[in-house]
Structure formats: C-alpha cells, structure tokens
Amino acid sequence: MSESSLSIGMLLFPELTQLDLTGPYEVFARAPDANVHLIWKTLDPVRSDRGMGILPTCTFDTCPALDVICIPGGPGQINLMDDDETLSFIRTKSENAKLVTSVCTGSLVLGAAGLLRGYKATTHWASLDQLTLLGAEPVNERVVRDRNRITGAGVTSGIDFALNVIADIYGAEIAQSIQLHMEYDPEPPFTSGSPRVAPEEILEQAKKQIAPFIEKRRLATEAAGRQLLKNN
Amino acid sequence: MSESSLSIGMLLFPELTQLDLTGPYEVFARAPDANVHLIWKTLDPVRSDRGMGILPTCTFDTCPALDVICIPGGPGQINLMDDDETLSFIRTKSENAKLVTSVCTGSLVLGAAGLLRGYKATTHWASLDQLTLLGAEPVNERVVRDRNRITGAGVTSGIDFALNVIADIYGAEIAQSIQLHMEYDPEPPFTSGSPRVAPEEILEQAKKQIAPFIEKRRLATEAAGRQLLKNN
C-alpha cells in the first residue's frame, strides 16, 4: 500500500448491477485519503443492467497501481468470463494488491481469472454452487475472507463487505464512523432477503424466474473452468 | 398512475450523495414495468459529492408525468434550497404524483418547495431538527409516511425506503421478491449506524467533524423557511 493514500480500483463493465459497485463505492470514497478508480476499457459512459449510465475514471492502460481491486457482478459478468483482455488486466493488477475482492457474481470473474483456486469465497445465492467449477470453495456467508481475498454475497452485501474491507485496512473506529455517517442501521421491511429466511413461495418463484439465466451463466462458468485447467 | 407502467423520477443534482439515489434506483428499476428517470437541468454528466459521474436521462423540460417523485440528499442539496427553477419543477411534478418522496436531506429540498408543511417527515440524523424550520414535524424513524409523503433517513435508508414504496404500490410479494433478488439480508459489521446505537465516542467525534457543515446547511434551511413564510 502506498504510504500517503489508498488506491482502490473497481471494475465498471457494461450490464453490471450498479448497486454492486455504488454501495461499496460510497463506503470506500469516505475512507481517509482514499482514491477510488472506476476502471473500464474506454472512458465512455458504461450502462448498468438496468440502464444507469456511469462514467469510468480511468482505462486498463491508465489505471494506477491498486491497493484494493474490487470486481462487482451483474449479468454483464458473463461476457467477461472469456474476455482475455479483462481477465489479464485483473490478474496483473491483483499481483501487487493488498486485497483482491468482489461483490456478487464478480467472484465468478475473479475465479475465471484463476484467482480463487483453493480459496473460500461467496457470491450471489443463486450462483453460489458455480464457484466450485472455478476451483473455489463456496461458503454460504455474507462476507467471506480467505487470506487476502474478500468476497461479498449478492448485491446489497457490498455495503457490509466494504465496511469489513475498511475495518481491515483502517481499523474498526474508521469503519464505525463511516457506518454512522451513512446511517447504516438497516430495517428491511420484510424478512425475505436470502433463501434462508424468505417465504417458501417467494423463493420458489424467484428460482423459477431466473433459472434460464442461471443456466446461461453456468455454461460460461463451465467454459471458464475448462480454460483454467487447460492453462495449467 | 398510468395504467400500463409506473413512472418514477429521481432528481440527479450536482454534489448529491450518490447512494441516496443508487440504492433506491436499484429497487425501483426492478419493479414490473417501471421506468426510472434521472432528472436534471441538462443531460451532461452530474458529479456526486465524492466524484462519481452519472448521466441524467431527461431534463426538467423533457421529463414525463411522474407517478413517484424522489429527491435524494447530499451536500449539493444546500444549493437547491433557494433554486427557484428546481423548487418550481418539484412542486409542479408533485401535484399529480401518487407519492412525493425523499431520501436523506432530500426532505429539506421538499420542505423548501413547501411540500412538507404540516407533514411528519425524516432526514439524515444530523439534520433532523432542521425540518421544523420548514414547517414539517421531524420523526426519528428510518422511513416515515404521512399521507402521500414518504421520507427516508440518512443515505443507506434509501433501500428500506424504496422497498416500502414498492410494497405500497405493488404489494408485499413484489417487494419481498425484489428484496430476495438483491439479497438484502443485511449484516452490518458494527453496531454503529445511528446515534441511538453508535459508541458514544464515535458519535461525539462524528458530530464534531460535521458541525461546521451542518451550520452552513442550517443557514440555508432558515433562509428557505423565511422564504416560505413570505410566499404565503
């Protein structure tokens, strides 16, 4: 880590789920002397899966050294699973990073880059089993740490994840202060936020609704897994 | 409300706190047939208080009729408190909206537009008392509803707020399904997210740190309060 400031890089790719990025960004950007970089291949606006346009701040070519690299998830993740340019960028930047991290299905991208082999990790609940295809050990927890890898579960877990990252780097007091400024004292209106607690009919309906998409994702994960074996 | 789709408009103004907007956006954009509009004076990228660039989707002139209007908060809110163009736009669009809403200090902007006189409302904990200057009744809760006004507390409350809004419009099952897809089963790493629960020294330090800014905000709120009385 550089001595005077912390360099945090988040991948901003087309059809990402924007809250996977914007939740942790809000936490990271409040850390003392942190610079948060939003990284993509060009500086053109990137559209999220639901249409929000967000501006990258640097490209693969201009991105500085990173103390923390963070890969968010979302449907666009599928296109990254065999994108050599992106996987190679992630691998290179991760070599000297203090923490290599992800939110939601960003961990599948880390896995496709070969960075989770032999590591415990998590991802969105509907794709958790796919981590084994990339040599990782799926753990059904909201934030999972194994050595210098920290992975968060689905979408909103990014806030919990990022507070953990900040506590790891700056200590608990800074993280507690950021949590207070962000008034993060959640009161979900329903008990429905994970398969563990959601009403059975809501869970079954959700699974059915996303099944075709999850199978499409699985094909990409399987192909990435085969590529990893071939590269070894 | 239009019969076939729901039109939700969120104000995207310079130096907003982006998670005030991006949290609810993620919930709103997942509602069936919802169109979420990000509204500002021009279509140029808008910078958040911490530098994220986000693209508006329409201007005050091109914004369609809104079923739900939502004003997020953040330091840039101060500049809106005497911005007649913006306050007039909000007033006009609110006339025919089913729900008039805000997150964080967006409620102070609603108040400056004269839309919270005689209403219970909330805002970020550090500015809650300022609501009285605009004729509103501050309520120290995470999400406050009074007739067709729904206001959320600070920053991260926007997710709880938006799930409440969706439940109000579409019913509990749709909101529960969105909560599950977003894996919103929060596990804050610390008990520090509100003055009620934060460690005393963390709270005192936070209050001290933001005191000068809160006083700046208070001057703007007082001026807006005087303007409201003059207009009556």
Side-chain angles (χ1 to χ4, degrees):
Chain A
M1 186 172 2
S2 62
E3 282 178 52
S4 59
S5 69
L6 188 79
S7 177
I8 301 176
M10 309 186 78
L11 195 72
L12 174 59
F13 58 89
E15 290 186 72
L16 89 163
T17 294
Q18 59 85 20
L19 190 56
D20 291 9
L21 179 145
T22 53
Y25 178 98
E26 191 64 43
V27 176
F28 290 155
R30 290 166 185 258
D33 298 318
N35 290 312
V36 187
H37 307 284
L38 302 181
I39 315 158
W40 187 233
K41 296 175 184 180
T42 74
L43 294 177
D44 294 334
V46 170
R47 290 278 165 198
S48 79
D49 55 353
R50 289 177 172 82
M52 183 184 290
I54 303 177
L55 292 178
T57 61
C58 64
T59 66
F60 290 179
D61 291 333
T62 63
C63 181
L66 300 177
D67 300 306
V68 180
I69 184 167
C70 177
I71 316 296
Q77 151 271 333
I78 292 178
N79 294 327
L80 304 185
M81 297 296 278
D82 63 354
D83 177 341
D84 288 335
E85 183 186 1
T86 299
L87 298 179
S88 165
F89 171 80
I90 294 171
R91 259 192 305 267
T92 304
K93 284 296 175 188
S94 295
E95 274 169 23
N96 297 308
K98 180 182 161 69
L99 295 175
V100 175
T101 74
S102 64
V103 176
C104 200
T105 51
S107 58
L108 297 176
V109 181
L110 283 184
L115 294 167
L116 291 181
R117 278 179 293 195
Y119 284 84
K120 293 187 169 96
T122 193
T123 190
H124 188 281
W125 60 264
S127 302
L128 187 61
D129 63 310
Q130 295 190 25
L131 282 167
T132 55
L133 299 167
L134 304 165
E137 183 188 331
V139 178
N140 187 14
E141 287 174 10
R142 195 152 172 89
V143 180
V144 172
R145 175 160 196 163
D146 186 352
R147 287 156 281 174
N148 82 330
R149 310 302 202 247
I150 306 183
T151 52
V155 195
T156 55
S157 78
I159 300 171
D160 302 321
F161 151 85
L163 288 168
N164 274 288
V165 168
I166 292 301
D168 183 79
I169 296 171
Y170 293 92
E173 286 193 11
I174 297 285
Q176 285 173 306
S177 175
I178 291 174
Q179 187 179 341
L180 177 58
H181 283 291
M182 289 176 60
E183 203 160 346
Y184 187 46
D185 186 16
E187 291 180 18
F190 304 101
T191 305
S192 186
S194 74
R196 189 175 49 84
V197 300
E200 190 59 26
E201 66 278 15
I202 299 286
L203 177 60
E204 288 313 310
Q205 193 185 34
K207 281 182 176 172
K208 203 171 149 185
Q209 187 193 330
I210 54 173
F213 175 73
I214 297 298
E215 279 316 297
K216 186 182 164 198
R217 171 175 284 151
R218 185 183 306 278
L219 292 177
T221 309
E222 285 171 349
R226 283 193 298 272
Q227 191 62 40
L228 280 183
L229 292 175
K230 227 164 87 178
N231 291 351
N232 259 2
Chain B
M1 186 172 4
S2 62
E3 282 177 51
S4 59
S5 69
L6 188 80
S7 178
I8 302 175
M10 309 186 78
L11 196 71
L12 173 59
F13 58 89
E15 290 185 72
L16 89 164
T17 294
Q18 59 84 20
L19 190 56
D20 291 9
L21 178 145
T22 54
Y25 179 98
E26 192 64 43
V27 177
F28 290 155
R30 289 167 185 258
D33 298 318
N35 290 312
V36 187
H37 307 283
L38 301 181
I39 316 159
W40 188 233
K41 296 174 183 179
T42 74
L43 294 178
D44 295 333
V46 169
R47 291 278 164 198
S48 79
D49 54 356
R50 289 176 172 82
M52 183 184 289
I54 303 177
L55 292 178
T57 61
C58 65
T59 65
F60 290 180
D61 291 333
T62 64
C63 181
L66 300 177
D67 301 305
V68 179
I69 184 168
C70 178
I71 315 296
Q77 151 270 333
I78 292 178
N79 294 327
L80 305 184
M81 298 295 279
D82 63 353
D83 177 341
D84 288 335
E85 183 186 2
T86 299
L87 298 178
S88 165
F89 170 79
I90 294 171
R91 261 192 304 269
T92 304
K93 286 296 175 186
S94 295
E95 274 169 23
N96 297 308
K98 179 183 163 68
L99 295 174
V100 175
T101 74
S102 64
V103 176
C104 199
T105 51
S107 59
L108 297 176
V109 181
L110 283 184
L115 294 167
L116 291 182
R117 279 179 292 196
Y119 284 84
K120 294 186 167 95
T122 192
T123 191
H124 189 279
W125 60 263
S127 301
L128 187 62
D129 62 309
Q130 295 191 25
L131 281 166
T132 55
L133 299 167
L134 303 164
E137 181 187 332
V139 178
N140 186 14
E141 289 174 10
R142 194 150 173 91
V143 180
V144 172
R145 177 163 193 158
D146 186 352
R147 287 155 282 173
N148 82 331
R149 309 301 202 247
I150 306 183
T151 52
V155 195
T156 55
S157 78
I159 299 172
D160 302 321
F161 150 84
L163 287 168
N164 275 288
V165 168
I166 291 301
D168 184 79
I169 296 171
Y170 292 93
E173 286 193 11
I174 297 285
Q176 285 172 304
S177 175
I178 291 173
Q179 187 180 341
L180 177 57
H181 282 292
M182 289 175 59
E183 204 160 344
Y184 187 46
D185 187 15
E187 291 179 19
F190 304 102
T191 305
S192 186
S194 74
R196 188 175 50 81
V197 300
E200 190 59 26
E201 66 278 15
I202 299 286
L203 178 60
E204 288 315 310
Q205 192 186 35
K207 280 182 175 171
K208 203 171 151 185
Q209 185 191 333
I210 54 174
F213 174 74
I214 297 298
E215 279 316 298
K216 186 181 164 197
R217 171 176 283 152
R218 184 184 306 279
L219 292 177
T221 309
E222 285 171 350
R226 283 192 299 271
Q227 192 60 39
L228 280 182
L229 292 174
K230 227 164 89 178
N231 291 350
N232 259 1

